[in-house]
Amino acid sequence: MTRQIRAAITGTGSYLPSKVLTNADLEKMVDTSDEWITRRTGIKERRVAAEDECTSTMAVEAARRACDSAGIDPSELDLIACATISPDTLCPASACYVQRDLGAKNAAVFDLSAACSGFVYCLTIARRFIETGQCKNCLIIGAETLSRFTDYTDRGSCILFGDGAGAVVLQAVEDNSRGVKYTVMHADGNGWDYIWTPAGGSKLPASHKTVDDRLHFLKMRGRDVYKFAIEKMQWLLEDCMKACNLSNDDVDLVVPHQVNIRIIKSATEKLNFPLEKVYVNIDKYGNTSAASIPIALDEAIRSGKVGRGSTILLIAFGAGLTWAGAVVEL
Ligand code: COA
């Protein structure tokens, strides 16, 4: 068999800020209840960044842990891709601060904005850089400080979001038995207003009025997102398994975007996919957008749920609208 260059996940890391925001805390802020949030979403608590933390500081912590677990020095990295919709600054990219703080002086860097699908988009891009020989050691990060863009007077959205960061090291290997096997990405810009932040960009720059009107916070059409998410989660699961000729038995773990337990259950039940093989940590961290998959993957690997030889599916969907999936042999 000819030896191909494959892109393998060789290390993972994550970071969650220590401050916890519980459903009981939210009960004091908006008209809601622990019972409502738990029943409708599965979320019990989420993390919130400290005042001196932001997207790049959390990303750096996750990245250090990923590099340590891969046994690689940051100076060996040739690419850092950071998926985020809550960057430190609009300019430059958060990945620039990450590069500086890691001392990854040989890495090219960029941020990617595809919301909750961002991490899988970055994985897809980095995979191709590796397979074509352009890069050998890539760091892919999903990091979000959504608490800075969440309207804590809007009960329809503030119950969902949390902060955190996850990272993976993707390296070139000449081993056909492991690596990223399949990736798929899609988008539909007609759904731009399902989840969006109206102000602060070139269309509606910051002004006293935009601040007064609370237009720098994420706005969401919850019901519409709900329907979209179920449909796409189902489609991605089916597509990934079909593309790699996998049955439910062949898949060791699905790591979905941590969106809402009802969405995850509904999509997997329709396909008779066992919930025991779906990684869920939404109860602890809520929806951390681009960070949710790499955080969950890191937990799944560190807890021994999956490891070398496991076949995993990564499934994501989010604002844009965007959706993306990957099949990886660890
Ligand atoms: N606490 C109590 N009641 C709430 C509430 C809250 N936090 N948020 C909304 N409600 C109320 C609504 O006002 C509505 O009341 P009404 O019937 O008197 O008008 C009722 O609950 C039902 O609202 P609805 O929006 O239809 O609820 P839902 O079952 O769709 O659940 C979400 C709302 C947001 C939890 C759900 O739509 C969801 O998870 N959507 C996906 C959002 C998401 O994940 N976005 C990020 C995507 S990557």
Side-chain angles (χ1 to χ4, degrees), residues 31-33 36-37 40-41 116 155-156 159-161 195 220 222-223 225-226 257 259-260 262-263 287 317-319:
D31 182 13
T32 191
S33 66
W36 193 95
I37 302 171
R40 300 276 181 141
T41 70
C116 311
R155 69 175 182 173
I159 55 160
L160 296 172
F161 301 120
I195 313 167
M220 188 182 75
R223 266 271 163 93
V225 177
Y226 190 89
H257 170 45
V259 59
N260 178 324
R262 282 158 62 212
I263 292 173
N287 178 346
F317 29 81

Side-chain angles (χ1 to χ4, degrees), residues 141-155:
I141 302 170
E144 302 283 9
T145 321
L146 294 179
S147 62
R148 306 268 154 83
F149 299 89
T150 296
D151 184 349
Y152 288 103
T153 65
D154 172 16
R155 69 175 182 173

